Amino acid sequence: VQLQASGGGLVQAGGSLRLSCSASISSFSMRDMGWYRQGPGKQRELVARMSRSGMPNYIDSVEGRFTISRDNAKNTVYLQMNSLKPEDTGVYYCNLDPPYIQRGRPYWGQGTQVTVSS
């Protein structure tokens, strides 16, 4: 399994970013996928998820600003982030929901840093 997120960067408040995650995992189209965020000094949290059937869900703080999507032909999941706020700052990871377990522990691939300046 490999999970590689990209597309992060430094953006001013109110700006936008589009994250991509390439997932090398079997039966990707049958997996529920999620985007997770770990802010400075905070625990990692699930901010958006998309079921295998394409149903999206978001935490309240990003609802209406973030959009998750997936391309099963490319084994890729996306996160469009608009109207970014400083509190959106963190390292963003994609993973299964719940996270993929490898050797008894959640596996976290490469994340991507998002920094929103005020």
Side-chain angles (χ1 to χ4, degrees), residues 8 47 52 68-69 77 100 102:
V47 299
R52 68 191 75 180
I68 188 172
S69 60
V77 60
Y100 183 81
Q102 190 173 66

Side-chain angles (χ1 to χ4, degrees), residues 54-65:
M55 180 70 70
N57 289 98
Y58 307 93
I59 59 172
D60 288 347
S61 61
V62 308
E63 179 81 52
R65 300 188 297 120

Side-chain angles (χ1 to χ4, degrees), residues 56-111:
N57 289 98
Y58 307 93
I59 59 172
D60 288 347
S61 61
V62 308
E63 179 81 52
R65 300 188 297 120
F66 290 11
T67 302
I68 188 172
S69 60
R70 64 192 295 165
D71 185 337
N72 290 335
K74 297 181 179 179
N75 279 27
T76 301
V77 60
Y78 304 97
L79 187 67
Q80 177 67 43
M81 306 187 295
N82 299 327
S83 303
L84 282 161
K85 303 176 180 181
E87 51 264 43
D88 295 319
T89 293
V91 181
Y92 284 71
Y93 303 84
C94 76
N95 210 324
L96 280 65
D97 178 32
Y100 183 81
I101 301 298
Q102 190 173 66
R103 300 190 187 94
R105 301 177 64 179
Y107 164 79
W108 296 99
Q110 178 179 311

Side-chain angles (χ1 to χ4, degrees), residues 35-56:
W35 279 99
Y36 299 75
R37 171 174 73 195
Q38 187 163 21
K42 299 181 180 179
Q43 288 190 333
R44 193 160 8 211
E45 61 177 342
L46 176 65
V47 299
R49 70 182 300 276
M50 176 162 275
S51 71
R52 68 191 75 180
S53 63
M55 180 70 70

